[in-house]
Amino acid sequence: MKIKKFYAKSMQAALAEIKKEFGDNAIILGQKKVTLHDHPSLKEALEVTAAADKADNEKPEASPFHNLLRENISKKPKSSPISNVELGLIRKDLDYLNNRIEMLVNHIKYENLPHIPKILQGKVRKLIENGVAPEFANKIIEEILLHMKGEELLEEDKIDDKILHKIKNKLMITGPLSIKGNRTSVVVLVGPTGAGKTTTLAKLSARYKYTHGKNVAVVSADSFRMGAMEQLKSFADIASIDFFPVYQNKDMPEILKKTENYDMVFLDTPGINPKNIKKMSSLKELIRISGSDEVHLVLSMTTRYNDLCDAIKNYSILHYKGIIFSKLDEAGEFGDIVNLANDFQKPVSYLTFGQNIPEDIKIADRKEIANTIIRGKYGIL
Ligand SMILES: Nc1nc2c(ncn2[C@@H]2O[C@H](COP(=O)(O)OP(=O)(O)OP(=O)(O)O)[C@@H](O)[C@H]2O)c(=O)[nH]1
Ligand SMILES: [Mg+2]
């Protein structure tokens, strides 16, 4: 073991010195402020005593085990391709390890904070379990600690109210679809494949026809997926809603003419991988020609966070007004809604929570979403 005293202006500078000389494995044994009489530039300094088994740049002596390992490696054939099955297993192991590490980090981060009362530790843990980003969950609790004092911190209802309020304040909503009184309103749904666009479009069009008494038409521009047009047409037949197919962008002006006497036109679009630039620009062109009043991005709540972020970013070239989160009934946690609000500040327009048309859709409500996030469950409150 090597032990050495380092002198520097600050701890940060001392650590840099230590790292340079001892590498990442050094440990700090002690620190104190000292006055240096014989140093050319430092008078008042921090003396940090550090130790390391061996500096990183010194090669350790090879143990018999290492020698054996090295021999075996050199005997192995140079290329030993890993099969897909093995890769899958390794990936699974890595996922498992990732989860464990995340759990440990959260445990260390929140369990050992003596200044946070137990009740708040429980609240922060629950938020994280429900998918709220740890930094945001922690920030909420810190803010509560700042504003609630003594006795107040024993009142669970008050704490819950504050948490609800903080999450609610981060969320934005669009309100209902806007209906133009004097001309046709064109509403377009876009989103990744299978997100729930067609089902949501069916729900919305049926609602506006039967609940709001509007004269409604549905248009399908999904000529990519087999059976997509038929899916919307058969719904339209059952719901007695007029249906129009658009096979190419250039058909759109003619369809707009045919539908100019309707109050509302709902335009269904093909599912597009947001990274497919060519398809995205064709969709952008279709939306431009349709003279749409509002575009909504449909995202499934069962999608991984990174994929949700990709969709939100890449679809933003379509200037969507709001996000419709679908399949809440299939999701296990809802923290991503507020994580996305924090990261992208995009409003939510609707939530869908089942396959029943037209029942399983609701206009987004901030309090209801915040409650859903906190409870980790969508349903009657
Ligand atoms: N559980 C549940 N299923 C839903 C919901 N919305 C849609 N689905 C189902 O999800 C599947 C895909 O829905 P679609 O509406 O066809 O999705 P899409 O985005 O139009 O799909 P593409 O046109 O292929 O891109 C269907 O089986 C729907 O019944 C929902 O809110 N909850
Ligand atoms: Mg569809």
Side-chain angles (χ1 to χ4, degrees):
M1 169 168 297
K2 279 184 158 189
I3 299 180
K4 189 177 168 184
K5 289 186 188 333
F6 291 81
Y7 297 94
K9 265 193 183 150
S10 64
M11 191 61 179
Q12 206 179 3
L15 287 175
E17 283 287 309
I18 293 166
K19 192 172 173 193
K20 209 157 92 193
E21 191 157 338
F22 281 177
D24 286 329
N25 295 327
I27 50 169
I28 308 297
L29 298 177
Q31 62 167 80
K32 61 179 176 195
K33 279 195 177 147
V34 291
T35 310
L36 300 175
H37 300 293
D38 51 355
H39 196 281
S41 56
L42 275 179
K43 229 178 159 42
E44 300 296 322
L46 192 65
E47 178 191 278
V48 183
T49 312
D53 249 1
K54 280 199 169 48
D56 270 4
N57 46 15
E58 281 177 45
K59 273 201 177 145
E61 267 176 40
S63 67
F65 170 73
H66 278 102
N67 287 335
L68 199 65
L69 192 67
R70 206 174 299 140
E71 262 173 44
N72 275 332
I73 289 170
S74 60
K75 272 186 213 152
K76 258 196 142 188
K78 277 263 167 343
S79 63
S80 62
I82 300 175
S83 71
N84 280 344
V85 178
E86 283 172 314
L87 256 183
L89 287 174
I90 293 171
R91 231 174 249 151
K92 262 198 174 152
D93 280 352
L94 281 176
D95 278 351
Y96 174 78
L97 281 175
N98 254 340
N99 280 338
R100 304 300 296 174
I101 291 169
E102 211 170 285
M103 271 174 61
L104 278 173
V105 168
N106 287 333
H107 181 78
I108 293 165
K109 215 164 164 185
Y110 303 108
E111 200 74 12
N112 298 331
L113 289 179
H115 64 284
I116 296 190
K118 268 254 162 332
I119 187 166
L120 288 185
Q121 286 184 24
K123 297 288 171 196
V124 86
R125 199 175 316 116
K126 186 93 191 7
L127 285 175
I128 294 169
E129 270 167 24
N130 290 340
V132 175
E135 303 74 43
F136 180 54
N138 202 28
K139 195 165 158 241
I140 292 178
I141 300 301
E142 277 168 9
E143 283 172 13
I144 288 178
L145 259 179
L146 267 182
H147 294 108
M148 289 177 86
K149 296 266 171 288
E151 294 281 284
E152 266 189 319
L153 282 170
L154 299 173
E155 294 177 55
E156 192 163 1
D157 285 355
K158 267 198 178 164
I159 295 173
D160 286 345
D161 256 11
K162 289 255 186 241
I163 296 176
L164 182 81
H165 195 69
K166 300 240 169 251
I167 294 181
K168 193 182 127 195
N169 280 351
K170 286 284 169 192
L171 302 169
M172 288 184 295
I173 53 164
T174 59
L177 301 178
S178 50
I179 307 164
K180 306 278 171 295
N182 50 351
R183 62 175 177 83
T184 314
S185 299
V186 179
V187 177
V188 187
L189 298 194
V190 298
T193 44
K197 298 175 292 296
T198 308
T199 312
T200 305
L201 188 123
K203 290 171 186 170
L204 283 173
S205 57
R207 286 228 159 181
Y208 273 87
K209 179 174 168 92
Y210 292 105
T211 313
H212 301 278
K214 297 293 166 196
N215 189 13
V216 162
V218 292
V219 176
S220 175
D222 187 0
S223 55
F224 288 110
R225 188 170 63 76
M226 278 228 320
M229 293 252 179
E230 290 71 16
Q231 181 190 359
L232 191 57
K233 183 168 182 339
S234 54
F235 151 76
D237 287 345
I238 295 166
S240 304
I241 291 177
D242 291 336
F243 169 85
F244 299 87
V246 169
Y247 293 98
Q248 297 175 52
N249 284 1
K250 64 180 171 58
D251 301 340
M252 195 65 209
E254 190 193 329
I255 298 299
L256 287 176
K257 261 211 146 41
K258 283 187 184 166
T259 55
E260 67 188 4
N261 290 324
Y262 289 85
D263 299 322
M264 300 180 88
V265 166
F266 289 88
L267 173 58
D268 191 21
T269 62
I272 291 179
N273 172 351
K275 289 179 181 152
N276 188 328
I277 294 168
K278 201 167 155 212
K279 283 190 177 168
M280 285 294 278
S281 45
S282 166
L283 181 57
K284 188 172 181 188
E285 179 59 7
L286 175 75
I287 290 171
R288 190 191 63 76
I289 304 170
S290 75
S292 93
D293 292 277
E294 44 189 289
V295 178
H296 292 259
L297 172 63
V298 183
L299 294 176
S300 164
M301 254 320 357
T302 58
T303 307
R304 284 181 341 136
Y305 192 68
N306 284 348
D307 295 332
L308 290 173
C309 294
D310 277 348
I312 285 185
K313 276 186 266 182
N314 296 344
Y315 272 97
S316 64
I317 63 161
L318 304 181
H319 304 294
Y320 53 87
K321 180 177 176 187
I323 301 173
I324 299 177
F325 285 110
S326 67
K327 308 191 187 181
L328 266 73
D329 54 310
E330 287 185 3
E333 55 185 48
F334 305 90
D336 280 350
I337 300 182
V338 74
N339 299 338
L340 292 170
N342 272 328
D343 289 345
F344 298 99
Q345 292 83 43
K346 298 277 187 200
V348 184
S349 47
Y350 286 86
L351 305 174
T352 83
F353 40 87
Q355 293 169 301
N356 299 313
I357 302 171
E359 296 92 333
D360 295 338
I361 187 164
K362 231 178 177 191
I363 186 147
D365 174 89
R366 293 191 306 146
K367 188 172 174 196
E368 189 176 16
I369 298 175
N371 257 318
T372 301
I373 293 169
I374 292 166
R375 287 169 10 125
K377 215 153 91 188
Y378 186 79
I380 318 273
L381 300 172

